[in-house]
Amino acid sequence: MKEIGARHFEERLARGAEQAREAGLDGLLISPGPDLAYFADYLPPSTERITLLVVPARGEPAMLVPVLEHDSAAATRAAGSIQLLDWSDGQDEYEPAAALVKPDGRYAVSDNTWALHLLALQERLPGTRFEPVTRVLPMLRAVKTPDEIDRLAAAGAAADAAFEDVLRLPFAGRTEAAIAAELDRLLREHGHSQVDFTIVASGPNGANPHHDAGSRLIEEGDTVVLDFGGIMDGYGSDTTRTVHVGEPSDAEREVFDVVQHAQQAAFEAVAVGVPCQEIDRVARNVIAEAGYGEFFIHRVGHGIGMTTHEPPYLVAGEERAIEAGMCFSIEPGIYLPGRFGVRIEDIVVAAEDGAHRLNNSSRELHLVQ
């Protein structure tokens, strides 16, 4: 896969400045995390030592780093587009940080900025207004380039391959944690550098969408929800499939069929210009009409990119229109307390001709041993 070069980071910085201007901001303040990796090709540890990229709406970007991390910051592909400044232990690091910010400006701050750093800047810049970037610029990273979509597709294909492999393993008599460990291993074998989650929710545990895989022994007759993903080549995967140990009951098949229908209907509803909330509504209506509306207890989807959860969110109240290049999950579910749960999830990309799935493993109810 083609490497993201210096020019791409220069373009991202210019796009970030443009979006800041359009939002009436004086700039972006970006701390260690996915936003810093996206704009500066830099992912240092987030610590009590401040690292801060300032992308002004007008002017040249600058990044302040601890002097002990100067060489690492200077070695990034984006270094030629950013003025690099440093500070030393024993120095008041917030003085040079504040000097990069307008004393009466308005800035979007990356969501994962430590309160320690933001409060220190607020103390030194009482006339400056700071707002979370997700609230004022939620689409900052939402529309993906073709290269980003290729990376998401590769991560999705690797997750699909891990699922196909795990289907060949025995489930009955093994703990949820054991199957979760197998998924972790398989994701890494298929190219993931980081595994973010491996949800294995069997039997009644399947009614908890975010169940932590534990010591419960998976039994014959269990429905098992498998939700797993991580990072590969800098971009995320996230998929959910539901399997059954042995033959399912009529009730289990009925619930599965409803979720499968809801997921397909939501996928077919994706189109450029359609409000994000409409995709949630379509899936929710299918489930409600089948009599299970109260058991669909979360939004239908979330964006994905350098992190597995990011804007856009497909949820009631989100009136923002879908744009070509947006990538997000479609993952309706039904959760019956004390009994079982079912969820099916794919990552899809919106395009001018509709939607394309980035997960292509079978969405049927797989029977495992």
Side-chain angles (χ1 to χ4, degrees):
M1 189 172 295
K2 186 178 179 181
E3 185 179 76
I4 297 174
R7 181 177 58 83
H8 290 84
F9 292 100
E10 184 178 350
E11 291 172 352
R12 289 175 180 181
L13 288 162
R15 225 170 28 244
E18 180 183 7
Q19 290 188 48
R21 289 194 299 273
E22 291 174 350
L25 297 166
D26 290 291
L28 314 176
L29 304 183
I30 299 173
S31 298
D35 288 333
L36 191 62
Y38 180 82
F39 284 107
D41 186 35
Y42 190 44
L43 194 57
S46 181
T47 72
E48 75 286 355
R49 290 186 172 102
I50 188 171
T51 293
L52 185 69
L53 170 65
V54 180
V55 182
R58 292 174 177 81
E60 295 303 313
M63 184 162 64
L64 180 69
V65 301
V67 69
L68 73 164
E69 295 174 8
H70 182 280
D71 289 352
S72 296
T76 68
R77 290 166 291 182
S81 301
I82 299 170
Q83 179 188 9
L84 191 58
L85 308 170
D86 57 48
W87 62 274
S88 301
D89 284 352
Q91 178 184 356
D92 177 4
E93 65 267 40
Y94 298 110
E95 180 180 346
L100 297 172
V101 180
K102 285 187 176 182
D104 57 352
R106 176 174 174 248
Y107 289 84
V109 182
S110 53
D111 296 347
N112 52 336
T113 299
W114 278 31
L116 171 71
H117 303 316
L118 182 57
L119 290 171
L121 287 174
Q122 286 178 323
E123 182 180 340
R124 285 158 177 77
L125 298 161
T128 300
R129 182 177 172 187
F130 302 96
E131 301 182 50
V133 71
T134 294
R135 188 173 70 197
V136 293
L137 286 177
M139 298 298 108
L140 191 63
R141 294 187 285 115
V143 176
K144 271 57 180 183
T145 64
D147 177 81
E148 290 181 289
I149 293 168
D150 287 346
R151 290 170 188 271
L152 285 163
D160 288 348
F163 174 67
E164 297 295 343
D165 286 348
V166 85
L167 289 177
R168 301 186 182 97
L169 301 176
F171 277 63
R174 304 180 72 185
T175 65
E176 295 172 337
I179 300 299
E182 297 278 19
L183 281 169
D184 185 297
R185 174 182 63 82
L186 290 166
L187 284 169
R188 295 180 192 278
E189 284 185 4
H190 287 287
H192 280 62
S193 59
Q194 174 181 317
V195 176
D196 290 337
F197 51 92
T198 52
I199 294 172
V200 179
S202 64
N205 290 339
N208 176 359
H210 284 172
H211 172 69
D212 286 330
S215 59
R216 183 183 185 275
L217 286 178
I218 300 171
E219 303 173 353
E220 180 80 16
D222 278 349
T223 299
V224 186
V225 178
L226 306 172
D227 184 351
F228 50 96
I231 301 296
M232 178 172 146
D233 291 330
Y235 283 79
S237 68
D238 185 2
T239 187
T240 306
R241 295 292 184 259
T242 300
V243 303
H244 198 276
V245 185
E247 285 295 325
S249 67
D250 290 344
E252 288 166 326
R253 280 202 179 275
E254 176 187 312
V255 170
F256 185 89
D257 289 346
V258 171
V259 173
Q260 189 177 44
H261 181 197
Q263 209 255 1
Q264 180 65 24
F267 171 74
E268 293 175 359
V270 174
V272 172
V274 171
C276 290
Q277 67 177 359
E278 177 66 9
I279 313 306
D280 182 273
R281 187 194 66 80
V282 167
R284 202 165 297 279
N285 283 352
V286 170
I287 291 172
E289 288 171 6
Y292 296 99
E294 67 182 292
F295 303 111
F296 180 15
I297 56 177
H298 55 74
R299 66 196 174 204
V300 82
H302 58 82
I304 189 169
M306 298 183 80
T307 57
T308 48
H309 280 219
E310 61 186 46
Y313 297 106
L314 279 57
V315 64
E318 179 50 86
E319 298 178 354
R320 188 177 305 276
I322 292 172
E323 300 178 41
M326 286 182 173
C327 298
F328 44 81
S329 68
I330 296 179
E331 50 178 306
I334 293 174
Y335 309 95
L336 303 178
R339 297 174 63 192
F340 63 93
V342 173
R343 181 164 67 255
I344 302 171
E345 175 185 16
D346 292 322
I347 300 302
V348 306
V349 55
E352 294 295 345
D353 61 349
H356 303 279
R357 283 187 166 99
L358 300 186
N359 291 108
N360 293 292
S361 62
S362 170
R363 283 167 287 281
E364 299 303 315
L365 180 59
H366 288 271
L367 306 187
V368 295
Q369 299 301 311

